[in-house]
């Protein structure tokens, strides 16, 4: 406990390093008495404690106020306490008889989420899953079962050729789901986006009609409320109109919980990840579906050693048969505890702070000549995408040569940044855009001074490039 608390204190100290980087071969070879090798004989307690300390020492402080590398950042103490309690309980979420409190908590959380989506008057359903990728997989799984229930027993050979539709900027998890479920990635159709990264409804309709002319079945559309890179919001109502017109399942992958208000109850299913902007410790993701009983019918296998129908309590609370898992980790308690401690209003305050920091960075970038925005529009979410243009590069006119050199700038700065370890931010190419920095805010410990530090650090590390 002392090791953990000292680490937490250091993680919040802006003067400490975000990471002490070492290459994989160095960790494999061992560092200053820290060896990852396993032995036949037990080691003394003193060495075990050193190993615990070093495991944290050589990792990345994702709770550090200057860690911007991924959306799931920050370290909420209430959520951490919830994770500790869940680990202490060490139970499984498949039946009420061994996880009574947690199963009821899950129902209460799902009901709250349904209300916020706009399904308060409906008999909706859902399940907590191990991450947004699995939640999105559930959406494809359930959409396919709803249209073709014979898939469960007869398999893909009994189905016609089906197609899924996503935006060019959507998360890759829908393609992964198509591969896992036997639909095939070639049958995931990318819909064009506008310059801001929003799905273009007219292109969606054109692609649906093209699939129909080919004699295939358009099944499913995944829209996004806050894309991974640009933080863009697809035009959900327009997409819903098209889905209703052609009979497609509409799924919405939601990044920001505040935007769920007024999301429209027209969505058939929703993925909601509290481990992102709500700051719940990893992992915590919910799949929500507007039709009660569909998850159960799709996934139920009635394992006799778990789901006996003649138990002494209401067996509808044996929720494990709704899932594709057997064993299921308790991910609900930390979210429930944080909601108790903060209230809905507390989450809104946290998220508003992140939105304000994104706006602050956007204005800062606009005022500095060595930085250039990937698109000149105020942030809709907490994402801000930008290039650093070194002085040497500013003298080169726009064209292929400049683009080639600019593509190398962000990786070189990031390499230097990691070696020094004082901050951390992500970079990537996207479509026809060469490598740029993708800043995303979600850590409540981050302040404007940390944003200023990042920009100054990028300039310091990249001015000679």
């Amino acid at each position: 406990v002392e090791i953990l608390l000292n680490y937490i204190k250091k993680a919040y100290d802006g003067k400490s390093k975000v990471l002490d980087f070492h290459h994989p071969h160095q960790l494999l070879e061992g560092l200053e008495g820290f060896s990852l090798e396993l032995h036949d004989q037990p080691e003394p307690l003193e060495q075990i404690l050193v190993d615990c300390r070093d495991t944290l020492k050589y990792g990345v402080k994702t709770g550090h106020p200057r860690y911007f590398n991924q959306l799931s950042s920050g370290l909420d103490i209430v959520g951490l306490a919830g994770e500790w309690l869940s680990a202490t309980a060490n139970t499984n979420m498949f039946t009420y008889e061994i996880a009574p409190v947690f199963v009821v908590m899950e129902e209460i959380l799902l009901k709250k989420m349904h209300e916020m989506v706009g399904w308060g008057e409906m008999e909706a359903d859902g399940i907590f899953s191990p991450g947004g990728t699995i939640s999105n997989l559930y959406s494809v799984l359930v959409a396919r079962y709803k249209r073709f229930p014979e898939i469960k027993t007869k398999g893909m050979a009994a189905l016609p050729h089906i197609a899924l539709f996503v935006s060019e900027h959507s998360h890759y998890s829908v393609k992964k789901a198509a591969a896992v479920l036997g639909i095939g990635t070639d049958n995931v159709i990318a819909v064009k986006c506008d310059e801001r990264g929003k799905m273009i409804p007219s292109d969606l309709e054109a692609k649906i009609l093209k699939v129909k002319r080919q004699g295939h079945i358009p099944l499913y559309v995944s829209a996004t409320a806050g894309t991974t890179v640009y933080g863009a919001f697809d035009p959900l109502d327009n997409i819903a109109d098209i889905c209703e017109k052609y009979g497609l399942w509409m799924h919405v992958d939601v990044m920001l919980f505040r935007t769920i208000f007024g999301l429209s109850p027209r969505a058939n299913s929703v993925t909601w990840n509290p481990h992102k902007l709500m700051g719940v410790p990893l992992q915590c993701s919910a799949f929500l579906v507007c039709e009660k009983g569909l998850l159960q019918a799709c996934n139920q296998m009635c394992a006799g050693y778990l789901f006996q129908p003649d138990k002494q309590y209401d067996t509808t609370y044996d929720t494990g048969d709704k899932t594709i898992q057997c064993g299921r980790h308790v991910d609900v308690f930390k979210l429930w505890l944080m909601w108790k401690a903060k209230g809905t209003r507390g989450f809104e305050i946290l998220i508003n702070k992140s939105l304000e920091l994104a706006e602050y960075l956007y204005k800062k970038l606009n005022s500095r000549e060595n930085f250039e925005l990937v698109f000149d529009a105020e942030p809709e979410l907490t994402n801000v995408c930008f290039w650093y243009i070194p002085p040497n590069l500013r003298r080169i006119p726009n064209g292929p040569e400049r683009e080639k050199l600019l593509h190398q700038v962000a990786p070189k700065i990031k390499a230097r940044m990691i070696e020094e370890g004082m901050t951390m931010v992500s970079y990537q190419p996207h479509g026809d855009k060469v490598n740029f920095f993708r800043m995303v805010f979600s850590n409540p410990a981050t302040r404007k001074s940390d944003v200023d530090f990042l920009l100054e650090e990028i300039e310091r590390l990249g001015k000679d490039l």
Side-chain angles (χ1 to χ4, degrees):
V1 171
E2 185 180 311
I3 289 168
L4 295 176
L5 293 177
N6 284 337
Y7 173 81
I8 292 165
K9 184 178 179 182
K10 190 173 285 188
Y12 278 114
D13 180 4
K15 296 176 183 176
S16 69
K17 283 190 171 188
V18 174
L19 76 159
D20 181 3
F21 179 76
H22 290 79
H23 288 277
H25 71 88
Q26 293 174 294
L27 288 174
L28 287 167
E29 290 164 5
L31 295 166
E32 302 168 20
F34 179 45
S35 171
L36 301 182
E37 292 299 320
L38 299 172
H39 307 286
D40 292 336
Q41 298 301 319
E43 299 201 15
L45 175 60
E46 291 76 12
Q47 181 60 49
I48 298 301
L49 290 173
V50 168
D51 290 345
C52 288
R53 217 173 263 114
D54 286 348
T55 297
L56 293 171
K57 177 183 176 182
Y58 296 117
V60 178
K61 298 187 187 78
T62 59
H64 195 289
R66 292 175 182 169
Y67 172 82
F68 308 110
N69 211 66
Q70 255 71 45
L71 184 58
S72 47
S73 67
L75 185 61
D76 188 276
I77 298 301
V78 177
L80 180 62
E83 192 70 85
W84 285 353
L85 188 145
S86 300
T88 303
N90 192 32
T91 192
N92 196 317
M93 288 287 288
F94 46 46
T95 62
Y96 178 85
E97 67 182 296
I98 66 164
V101 180
F102 297 135
V103 166
V104 174
M105 277 179 182
E106 182 173 50
E107 182 184 76
I108 288 167
L109 281 167
L110 290 170
K111 185 179 178 183
K112 183 76 171 175
M113 291 168 147
H114 294 152
E115 290 170 357
M116 294 172 73
V117 168
W119 298 338
E121 303 302 315
M122 302 170 67
E123 280 287 308
D125 205 351
I127 204 78
F128 276 74
S129 79
T133 292
I134 302 300
S135 290
N136 284 341
L137 184 145
Y138 271 119
S139 72
V140 179
L141 185 70
V142 170
R144 185 178 63 176
Y145 178 81
K146 172 70 174 175
R147 184 80 172 267
F148 302 106
E150 64 271 25
I151 181 68
K152 186 174 178 179
T153 52
K154 301 188 184 307
M156 283 296 290
L159 266 59
H161 194 130
I162 62 178
L164 316 177
F165 300 85
V166 299
S167 89
E168 292 175 324
H169 288 229
S170 68
H171 194 267
Y172 70 92
S173 55
V174 176
K175 283 188 104 172
K176 186 166 280 193
V180 170
L181 296 174
I183 295 168
T185 57
D186 286 351
N187 298 308
V188 180
I189 312 299
V191 179
K192 290 179 182 176
C193 293
D194 61 21
E195 183 63 25
R196 184 62 184 81
K198 301 170 185 286
M199 185 189 288
I200 300 172
S202 60
D203 191 59
L204 170 63
E205 186 165 22
K207 285 188 163 70
I208 289 171
L209 290 171
K210 182 180 178 181
V211 164
K212 287 170 74 72
R213 285 195 300 272
Q214 292 169 339
H216 303 161
I217 304 296
L219 176 72
Y220 162 106
V221 176
S222 178
T224 311
T227 55
T228 306
V229 182
Y230 284 5
F233 291 81
D234 289 334
L236 300 181
D237 278 331
N238 300 102
I239 293 167
D241 290 340
I242 293 168
C243 288
E244 288 170 7
K245 182 177 178 180
Y246 296 102
L248 277 73
W249 182 280
M250 180 181 172
H251 177 67
V252 182
D253 189 0
V254 177
M255 185 190 286
L256 176 53
F257 111 107
R258 194 182 74 163
T259 64
I260 289 174
F261 291 114
L263 174 66
S264 167
R266 300 169 74 187
N268 298 100
S269 59
V270 169
T271 289
W272 180 351
N273 297 316
H275 64 228
K276 292 185 177 176
L277 286 174
M278 291 175 76
V280 179
L282 286 163
Q283 58 197 9
C284 188
S285 176
F287 170 67
L288 313 175
V289 59
C290 67
E291 184 176 336
K292 187 83 169 176
L294 204 51
L295 268 170
Q296 187 86 5
C298 180
N299 297 313
Q300 187 176 43
M301 290 296 161
C302 303
Y305 78 102
L306 286 175
F307 307 115
Q308 304 91 340
D310 50 1
K311 293 178 180 178
Q312 81 275 25
Y313 57 85
D314 180 355
T315 56
T316 61
Y317 285 91
D318 285 354
T319 54
D321 228 7
K322 294 195 296 186
T323 77
I324 56 176
Q325 302 167 250
C326 178
R328 191 158 65 98
H329 185 261
V330 177
D331 290 328
V332 297
F333 180 71
K334 55 196 170 187
L335 172 58
W336 179 89
L337 194 66
M338 285 175 66
W339 216 314
K340 276 277 190 177
K342 300 178 192 300
T344 307
R345 180 62 185 140
F347 283 123
E348 289 177 354
I349 291 167
L350 285 178
I351 292 165
N352 283 339
K353 184 185 175 188
S354 292
L355 293 169
E356 288 162 9
L357 285 171
E359 182 71 21
Y360 176 78
L361 173 59
Y362 168 76
K363 290 177 178 175
K364 278 282 182 181
L365 291 168
N366 264 330
S367 68
R368 296 175 78 133
E369 63 177 358
N370 288 342
F371 292 89
E372 187 179 313
L373 290 156
V374 173
F375 53 87
D376 191 10
E378 290 192 10
E380 287 187 286
L381 198 54
T382 70
N383 308 48
V384 183
C385 301
F386 62 93
W387 289 286
Y388 170 67
I389 315 293
N392 290 333
L393 210 55
R394 292 199 347 253
R395 303 187 188 102
I396 301 173
N398 288 332
E401 179 61 24
R402 186 179 187 272
E403 291 286 285
K404 181 182 176 182
L405 292 170
L406 182 57
H407 188 62
Q408 300 169 36
V409 170
K412 287 178 178 178
I413 292 175
K414 177 68 177 284
R416 293 175 178 182
M417 188 181 285
I418 285 179
E419 291 291 343
E420 296 205 10
M422 295 306 295
T423 187
M424 205 170 174
V425 66
S426 180
Y427 75 87
Q428 67 172 91
H430 196 68
D432 61 351
K433 304 281 196 292
V434 299
N435 281 324
F436 55 83
F437 290 108
R438 180 190 72 121
M439 184 75 161
V440 59
F441 294 97
S442 65
N443 187 346
T446 299
R447 299 154 298 179
K448 290 178 181 178
S449 59
D450 298 311
V451 178
D452 295 338
F453 177 87
L454 174 74
L455 296 182
E456 288 159 11
E457 191 75 346
I458 288 173
E459 280 198 295
R460 183 181 71 83
L461 296 171
K463 63 186 177 184
D464 66 332
L465 295 176

